[in-house]
Amino acid sequence: PFDPFSAFLDEMGQTVDSVEDGADADNNDDIEEAEFEEYDNQDEENDEDEEDEYEPMYDTTGAPLRPKSERLALRAGYPSGGNFAVIYLAGFQHKVTKDDLLVVNKLKPVSEWSVGSTHTIKGDDVLLVANQYKTCVGLPGVAGAEVDVMVEEITRDKTLVIFKKRRRKNSRRKNGFRRQVTFLRVLDVRMPEGEAVADGSLESESIAA
């Protein structure tokens, strides 16, 4: 049968096989380009996955990253913050939970409050202790409640500038002051024995004196 397409190719000096070969080459180029695009997309996805895997889990202080609302809830003892206490130390009251860092005035004697030493605060120095199930208020202290702390560092606070001026008297005075401080890490907060059970049920309803 007569093939007008073959006659046209003969006039143009080409053959059907050469045209098919050219079409196959173009298809191969398209396939290679598509494969390169797929590889590029896979590389981008792998990079994104690696970035997700290496997101920081802790802040500069070493504490795990949490939303502010969750941090406040944990500090308040709810829903899973455990026990918290209010203690009296170095002339100030502090509300503490486990793993908290306290910055207090330098505790003396240094031989007793040396770096690395652990101390148990109890008696009248524990003013209140509580969890999500019960609160014990001391009069003035909670009997049987204990708070363990460890001395992490003894250093000086940031500089406080004290500037005084008397106008029209050509009198100025500028001084700096750095107070000495002790860093304390809260290791544990313990409720009085027999006050609360792990599942939240109460064994004793009496208020600790």
Side-chain angles (χ1 to χ4, degrees):
F2 176 75
D3 187 1
F5 184 67
S6 300
F8 174 74
L9 292 177
D10 292 337
E11 292 177 0
M12 298 296 295
Q14 297 181 359
T15 62
V16 176
D17 295 335
S18 63
V19 173
E20 292 178 353
D21 293 339
D24 293 338
D26 294 337
N27 293 333
N28 292 332
D29 294 339
D30 295 338
I31 293 172
E32 291 178 357
E33 291 178 359
E35 290 179 353
F36 284 134
E37 291 178 357
E38 290 179 359
Y39 290 145
D40 294 338
N41 294 333
Q42 290 178 358
D43 294 339
E44 292 177 358
E45 291 177 358
N46 293 333
D47 295 339
E48 292 177 357
D49 294 339
E50 291 178 358
E51 292 177 358
D52 295 338
E53 291 178 358
Y54 292 104
E55 285 185 356
M57 299 177 59
Y58 301 93
D59 59 12
T60 55
T61 63
L65 291 174
R66 293 191 178 100
K68 185 177 180 180
S69 58
E70 185 177 352
R71 294 198 303 270
L72 294 175
L74 294 176
R75 182 175 292 274
Y78 180 87
S80 59
N83 300 333
F84 68 93
V86 177
I87 62 175
Y88 180 82
L89 186 63
F92 294 92
Q93 295 182 11
H94 305 273
K95 180 182 177 182
V96 298
T97 60
K98 187 176 180 181
D99 294 334
D100 274 357
L101 182 65
L102 292 180
V103 180
V104 300
N105 292 328
K106 186 177 180 180
L107 301 175
K108 298 180 181 180
V110 179
S111 58
E112 180 180 353
W113 295 89
S114 59
V115 176
S117 61
T118 58
H119 305 269
T120 300
I121 301 172
K122 55 186 177 180
D124 292 344
D125 291 334
V126 182
L127 307 179
L128 181 144
V129 63
N131 55 21
Q132 56 265 43
Y133 305 114
K134 187 171 184 180
T135 301
C136 297
V137 181
L139 298 172
V142 180
E146 297 179 348
V147 178
D148 293 336
V149 297
M150 181 182 69
V151 180
E152 282 199 350
E153 186 178 355
I154 299 175
T155 182
R156 292 196 297 171
D157 205 352
K158 64 180 181 180
T159 303
L160 177 66
V161 177
I162 304 170
F163 182 77
K164 186 173 182 180
K165 176 183 177 181
R166 298 177 183 88
R167 60 180 185 173
R168 298 191 299 271
K169 302 297 182 182
N170 194 23
S171 174
R172 295 181 181 180
R173 183 176 63 188
K174 182 179 180 180
N175 292 324
F177 172 74
R178 297 183 68 185
R179 67 164 181 159
Q180 295 181 331
V181 295
T182 300
F183 288 2
L184 299 176
R185 179 71 65 176
V186 180
L187 301 178
D188 192 17
V189 178
R190 293 188 294 275
M191 296 278 289
E193 294 183 0
E195 289 298 331
V197 187
D199 60 358
S201 60
L202 303 180
E203 291 184 356
S204 174
E205 294 295 337
S206 60
I207 298 178

